[in-house]
Amino acid sequence: MILLKTSGLSKTFGGLKALSDIDFSISSGEIASLIGPNGAGKTTFFNLLTGVYKPDAGEIDFCGERIDGRPPYWITKRGLARTFQNIRLFNNMTVLENVMVGRHCRTRSELFTALLRTPGFFREEKEIAESAMERLRFVGLLDDGNELAKNLPYGAQRKLEIARALATEPKLLLLDEPSAGMNHAESLEMAQLIQRISKEGITILLIEHRMSLVMKISQNVHVLDHGFKIAEGTPDHIQNHPKVIEAYLGSTQETPEITIDARG
Amino acid sequence: MTKKISIGFLLLASLALPLLFQNSSYSYVIRIFGLVGLYMIMGLGLNIVVGFLGLLDLGFMAFYAIGAYTMALLSKAGVGFWPALFCSVSLTVAVRALLGAPVLRLRGDYLAIVTLGFGEITRIVLNNWDSVTNGPRGISLITDANIKPVSVFRWTLSTNTDFYYLIFFMLLLCIVMTRRVLNSRMGRAWMAIREDEVAARLTGIELTRMKMIGFVMSAAFAGLAGGIFARWENFVTPESFTFWESVMLVAMVVIGGMGSIPGTLVGVSIVVLVPEILRNVLSPGLMSWRYLLFGVALVAIAVFRPQGIWPSRRRERELNAPLSEMKEVS
Ligand SMILES: Nc1ncnc2c1ncn2[C@@H]1O[C@H](COP(=O)(O)OP(=O)(O)OP(=O)(O)O)[C@@H](O)[C@H]1O
Ligand SMILES: [Mg+2]
């Protein structure tokens, strides 16, 4: 079953065509990767899906519903969550509070219940804290719950962003370079985490520069270059695709395996 | 434990203060502390906007004015104190919502300009709408036989001491309300917005709605304070609600420590009390210098203690960290 589908998706910044006519689809339960050289338009694609930018042309269908042109909170509530290439946490809130904010779109209490401290308010607060802790346990950060987010080491911050995104109960999780800046051991751990999330029934699309990770965990790979989609297919297929090799190396020279690791 | 003791001590001292000064030649102190209380109520409201939503509001006194004029006009029409106070708060909130609806969608900087403009417009309207507001002469509530007394159960409030206690209990109520809201889903959403608006939006927070609720709630505090002020002073005039007053209010919140309840209370106390103290200790020749001294003190605090005197735990750490603001979404 197709979970998300775009057709003819385009976005221009000033004179720059960041994305041109992108047809893309991802099925439920899949782990897919989006790769491409720097500036190819990968993050822009995520920004269009999550409602940060409105597409200039094209459609986005998610669970059989048009989501293009909708505001981000609406899209998040439908079940699309993401992380950011440059980590964006609520730095001066605690680790637990960060994840609790993720529960916002699944809970309701506002001014009056908070002022009157109704039984419903306490029930909901308890639910928020408990399910936030559950997400922290899932990513392995439960012991750091009371730290301020910004005091966490880098790798843990990436996990915290994922926990916050998971707290919104996504059907589709978009990860923007989850292993960027990590060493080999950490990136292996990240790969395992992604596979565990997938086992929970969450579909995953990740942008990744680290080819070993892409090839290891993804079922499908989509390749962008200069805003165009130049290839898609299984990791094996992509690895030997002449256009992909050209895009990465800037020449038609045959190379047996892509070893580009642009981002550490 | 020490915290509980000091809070208890402060509460007792606040309760005892009027009794100590009531019959002395220092009885005006009660009035000054009453005013401090009113400013504290307003400061708590403004703190939501400035300290939590991270928005600059330069016209907050306009809402104090709306609360005060509503109270004055309704009292003259024979409406009792409590229903009139309810109307003061409601009307203030309604006007605030009308103002917020178009501007909260815009970037934060516009809000400063719009609120500044709204504050001035309010003052000008009060000054010129003679048939209703009596223009610059203001509205006096002293001679009118129509006016119902301010009463709580069977007590009638009239003296400074009476109003001091009324304000004191209202302030306690406002502190409790603020604390409750900040420790809830709403408060966390506000903090998230302040920390990173983009991430907050993409984590499922309806930005405009959350800002709107905070923006509107803050005005309720101003309307409440304004309503009480009108009956205490028995007189309202447009000149009580100037741009200068709005700026001082922002200064109170910033000096005390943005986003912190005790910080706001401390900031208000300092900004209101220091000029009063200077008035008493300075020789007449230096009197006219007191605002200069005060200004220098403000600048010194801004330079040497930018997080305020009593910052919220979180804000303190944030301001000591190097600034590395990320603007783009990536
Ligand atoms: N808000 C924006 N305004 C103007 N240009 C933009 C904006 N966002 C992205 N771009 C441009 O669009 C192009 C694609 O950028 P994008 O961030 O999507 O690339 P990317 O594939 O994620 O690259 P990287 O691997 O470096 O993260 C780049 O040339 C970038 O400069
Ligand atoms: Mg990118």
Side-chain angles (χ1 to χ4, degrees):
Chain A
M1 193 193 91
I2 288 179
L3 185 63
L4 177 122
K5 182 168 169 298
T6 75
S7 46
L9 205 61
S10 302
K11 180 72 190 174
T12 313
F13 293 113
L16 178 83
K17 292 211 85 177
L19 283 178
S20 308
D21 211 20
I22 305 293
D23 294 332
F24 169 93
S25 72
I26 185 167
S27 307
S28 288
E30 197 180 319
I31 301 180
S33 295
L34 187 60
I35 65 169
N38 291 142
K42 304 178 297 291
T43 300
T44 304
F45 188 64
F46 274 18
N47 284 340
L48 290 179
L49 296 187
T50 50
V52 177
Y53 303 132
K54 287 193 173 63
D56 298 329
E59 289 185 9
I60 308 170
D61 288 278
F62 181 58
C63 301
E65 202 174 6
R66 283 281 292 271
I67 61 167
D68 47 285
R70 296 287 190 169
Y73 79 84
W74 190 92
I75 294 174
T76 309
K77 184 141 195 200
R78 294 294 130 153
L80 219 168
R82 71 175 283 182
T83 64
F84 301 88
Q85 183 169 356
N86 305 297
I87 300 173
R88 306 188 77 122
L89 289 169
F90 308 123
N91 276 326
N92 297 289
M93 296 172 78
T94 66
V95 167
L96 181 65
E97 282 173 328
N98 267 268
V99 186
M100 287 169 86
V101 172
R103 295 302 294 157
H104 186 93
C105 64
R106 302 287 165 215
T107 45
R108 309 186 30 192
S109 125
E110 267 178 9
L111 206 51
F112 291 103
T113 43
L115 283 176
L116 300 175
R117 298 269 143 138
T118 57
F121 170 83
F122 287 111
R123 217 176 306 128
E124 195 178 84
E125 279 293 298
K126 190 158 169 273
E127 189 276 327
I128 291 174
E130 280 172 359
S131 59
M133 287 198 282
E134 204 173 292
R135 264 65 176 202
L136 281 181
R137 187 177 308 120
F138 185 81
V139 301
L141 286 177
L142 192 56
D143 292 340
D144 301 310
N146 291 322
E147 268 305 318
L148 288 189
K150 66 177 176 200
N151 294 342
L152 288 186
Y154 183 81
Q157 292 197 351
R158 288 243 173 247
K159 287 187 201 158
L160 177 55
E161 256 201 327
I162 293 176
R164 183 179 67 186
L166 288 176
T168 67
E169 292 176 22
K171 295 191 184 86
L172 173 59
L173 178 61
L174 309 176
L175 302 172
D176 199 341
E177 301 197 21
S179 83
M182 290 185 170
N183 63 30
H184 185 67
E186 286 173 322
S187 84
L188 280 182
E189 201 186 324
M190 180 56 73
Q192 279 167 1
L193 177 60
I194 293 171
Q195 284 170 323
R196 274 170 51 224
I197 296 170
S198 177
K199 283 213 188 73
E200 299 285 309
I202 296 168
T203 310
I204 291 168
L205 175 63
L206 72 149
I207 296 176
E208 199 38 84
H209 276 293
R210 199 187 288 261
M211 286 307 141
S212 56
L213 189 92
V214 169
M215 298 306 160
K216 189 173 146 201
I217 65 173
S218 42
Q219 285 122 42
N220 274 304
V221 182
H222 306 254
V223 191
L224 288 181
D225 184 29
H226 289 104
F228 290 91
K229 181 159 161 184
I230 57 168
E232 88 171 83
T234 60
D236 279 342
H237 174 71
I238 291 300
Q239 221 158 358
N240 301 311
H241 198 294
K243 270 193 178 170
V244 177
I245 296 164
E246 184 189 333
Y248 269 94
L249 299 180
S251 77
T252 47
Q253 220 180 359
E254 288 285 327
T255 319
E257 216 209 15
I258 305 168
T259 48
I260 297 89
D261 199 1
R263 287 276 166 100
Chain B
M1 200 56 211
T2 44
K3 194 178 161 196
K4 279 209 175 118
I5 292 174
S6 31
I7 289 177
F9 178 76
L10 268 177
L11 284 179
L12 278 179
S14 310
L15 281 172
L17 184 123
L19 305 176
L20 294 177
F21 289 105
Q22 217 164 17
N23 299 314
S24 72
S25 55
Y26 290 106
S27 60
Y28 67 91
V29 167
I30 301 169
R31 197 187 136 72
I32 290 171
F33 276 94
L35 269 178
V36 168
L38 283 182
Y39 276 104
M40 282 176 170
I41 292 175
M42 273 190 288
L44 286 175
L46 188 62
N47 183 36
I48 294 173
V49 178
V50 176
F52 281 88
L53 293 172
L55 300 168
L56 187 53
D57 187 334
L58 291 175
F60 205 63
M61 283 311 263
F63 298 92
Y64 187 55
I66 292 169
Y69 269 86
T70 308
M71 174 60 84
L73 291 170
L74 288 179
S75 299
K76 266 183 110 73
V79 178
F81 174 70
W82 293 105
L85 191 62
F86 179 77
C87 294
S88 288
V89 173
S90 309
L91 187 68
T92 310
V93 161
V95 174
R96 184 79 158 176
L98 286 178
L99 179 70
V103 297
L104 283 177
R105 284 167 208 286
L106 302 175
R107 276 217 336 272
D109 345 8
Y110 291 100
L111 193 85
I113 298 169
V114 171
T115 49
L116 189 159
F118 183 79
E120 283 305 281
I121 290 169
T122 305
R123 197 174 56 82
I124 291 167
V125 167
L126 294 177
N127 244 322
N128 291 287
W129 196 7
D130 281 1
S131 56
V132 175
T133 65
N134 202 23
R137 289 178 305 281
I139 302 174
S140 168
L141 299 177
I142 294 173
T143 50
D144 213 311
N146 230 345
I147 294 172
K148 298 214 165 63
V150 179
S151 52
V152 181
F153 303 115
R154 21 186 210 90
W155 296 288
T156 299
L157 311 187
S158 57
T159 65
N160 281 341
T161 305
D162 297 340
F163 273 94
Y164 174 94
Y165 284 119
L166 175 67
I167 292 166
F168 179 72
F169 284 110
M170 286 296 180
L171 175 62
L172 287 188
L173 188 71
C174 289
I175 292 173
V176 170
M177 292 204 310
T178 312
R179 282 182 58 106
R180 287 187 165 194
V181 174
L182 294 184
N183 294 314
S184 77
R185 171 175 174 270
M186 289 275 324
R188 283 190 300 271
W190 290 344
M191 253 182 272
I193 292 172
R194 185 189 70 192
E195 290 295 313
D196 188 332
E197 195 166 305
V198 172
R201 260 166 80 211
L202 289 162
T203 308
I205 290 173
E206 322 91 305
L207 221 56
T208 317
R209 182 180 169 76
M210 290 298 123
K211 283 187 181 174
M212 188 72 175
I213 295 175
F215 190 69
V216 168
M217 179 183 165
S218 69
F221 290 72
L224 177 74
I228 297 173
F229 175 75
R231 289 306 304 267
W232 182 20
E233 192 73 11
N234 274 326
F235 184 57
V236 289
T237 135
E239 287 322 305
S240 310
F241 314 106
T242 57
F243 172 59
W244 171 247
E245 294 276 336
S246 290
V247 171
M248 289 309 275
L249 257 181
V250 174
M252 296 174 195
V253 173
V254 174
I255 287 174
M258 280 183 276
S260 144
I261 294 175
T264 301
L265 303 183
V266 170
V268 169
S269 310
I270 290 174
V271 176
V272 179
L273 292 180
V274 168
E276 290 300 329
I277 295 169
L278 288 180
R279 192 214 298 276
N280 287 305
V281 296
L282 291 182
S283 62
L286 283 175
M287 262 308 267
S288 47
W289 289 76
R290 72 193 161 114
Y291 276 106
L292 181 68
L293 284 178
F294 189 53
V296 171
L298 291 193
V299 172
I301 290 176
V303 171
F304 295 110
R305 210 171 154 74
Q307 69 274 50
I309 291 167
W310 191 323
S312 72
R313 180 176 52 93
R314 300 185 177 104
R315 174 70 77 162
E316 176 170 35
R317 297 189 186 167
E318 173 191 2
L319 281 169
N320 286 333
L323 273 183
S324 55
E325 265 295 282
M326 283 287 317
K327 285 291 176 211
E328 257 179 76
V329 187
S330 54

